[in-house]
Amino acid sequence: MLVDTHCHLHLLENYPEELDKILEENKKHGVTHLLNVAVALEDTPTQYKIAELDNVYISVGIHPNESPGKVYDYEDIKKAADHPKCIAIGETGLDYYRQDASEDITWQQARFVQHIDLCKELNKPMIIHSRHAKKDTINIMREHNARDVGGIMHCFTEDWEMAKQALDLGFHISFSGIVTFKNAKSVQEVALKMPLDRMLLETDCPYLTPEPFRGKPNQPAYVKYVAEGVAKLRNEPFETICQQTGENFFKLFEALI
Ligand code: NI
């Protein structure tokens, strides 16, 4: 069992034309389940289409860099999330890397809180994207009791200090291909130190292709190389990493799958 807990099939250059090929590659690499993550509300019809695939689940939510400044109607997001295979809300969160934090970014924070509220109402875990916004992300999670909904710190790129705070809030930590990059020392430290029963793996494809394919197009099948990277780091069998992270996924979404 190997799960890609964060992919964007609909953003791949060869989707939908080569969907069969993408799924065939998954099979070849032992990838059994996918969570396809939304970045925009406009993704909803595509997400529903993708949800028709076996063992593929979806999320509904708006990425922090999507449509800067735009305020969304809570009810619109809620309506979109009302689908039997929508198991998570996101990706949401804060990104001060691509969004200049010296400008007004209260809209980004408000959208994050809106997603937390929705998770609480719908009883679905959340997928959090946080980049260059460590302190504010954790503060908002604490103030708005994100602990009650739980979820995933996706494509983790921060340090052990933040990982520890997210783990204390009951969150899972998901690693992308970054963990296989030679210079990603602080991310590797987190992957080494953290408890395996709270770890998840992802590709975040089409971005962040893991080694040994860094620089080439990414695909969900390559979550295998993320698992290999983590196995090597932790000096644990590849099978153990696949099995445990797969079980973690099913436990987190137990009530919805
Ligand atoms: Ni993503």
Side-chain angles (χ1 to χ4, degrees), residues 109-254:
Q109 298 161 351
R111 255 161 50 174
F112 186 19
V113 173
Q114 186 182 41
H115 282 70
I116 298 176
D117 290 341
L118 189 58
C119 290
K120 286 184 195 157
E121 188 181 344
L122 300 180
N123 283 315
K124 296 185 201 236
M126 66 193 312
I127 301 166
I128 297 182
H129 168 111
S130 176
R131 196 168 179 203
H132 284 220
K134 252 183 354 184
K135 211 168 140 239
D136 284 1
T137 302
I138 293 289
N139 282 345
I140 289 179
M141 287 168 76
R142 285 197 182 127
E143 277 165 30
H144 295 270
N145 301 314
R147 177 196 291 279
D148 296 348
V149 294
I152 305 169
M153 303 303 292
H154 113 84
C155 187
F156 195 76
T157 54
E158 301 292 352
D159 54 9
W160 175 245
E161 186 201 4
M162 187 187 190
K164 182 84 182 47
Q165 290 171 325
L167 288 167
D168 287 346
L169 287 166
F171 272 69
H172 288 63
I173 291 181
S174 179
F175 296 96
S176 67
I178 290 177
V179 80
T180 69
F181 298 170
K182 229 184 10 222
N183 55 355
K185 296 294 174 213
S186 72
V187 175
Q188 290 170 350
E189 185 196 352
V190 176
L192 184 62
K193 273 191 188 171
M194 71 167 290
L196 193 54
D197 65 357
R198 301 279 287 284
M199 186 190 287
L200 297 168
L201 305 176
E202 64 175 77
T203 59
D204 201 12
C205 66
Y207 316 107
L208 301 166
T209 311
E211 294 288 5
F213 300 111
R214 190 175 182 183
K216 302 219 175 79
N218 201 359
Q219 57 174 319
Y222 288 176
V223 74
K224 181 188 172 187
Y225 301 103
V226 179
E228 278 183 0
V230 170
K232 216 166 123 192
L233 264 178
R234 294 179 64 108
N235 199 19
E236 290 185 63
F238 168 73
E239 293 75 22
T240 307
I241 302 297
C242 298
Q243 186 66 26
Q244 183 65 55
T245 53
E247 280 172 20
N248 297 344
F249 174 81
F250 284 102
K251 201 167 171 218
L252 175 60
F253 295 106
E254 199 168 36

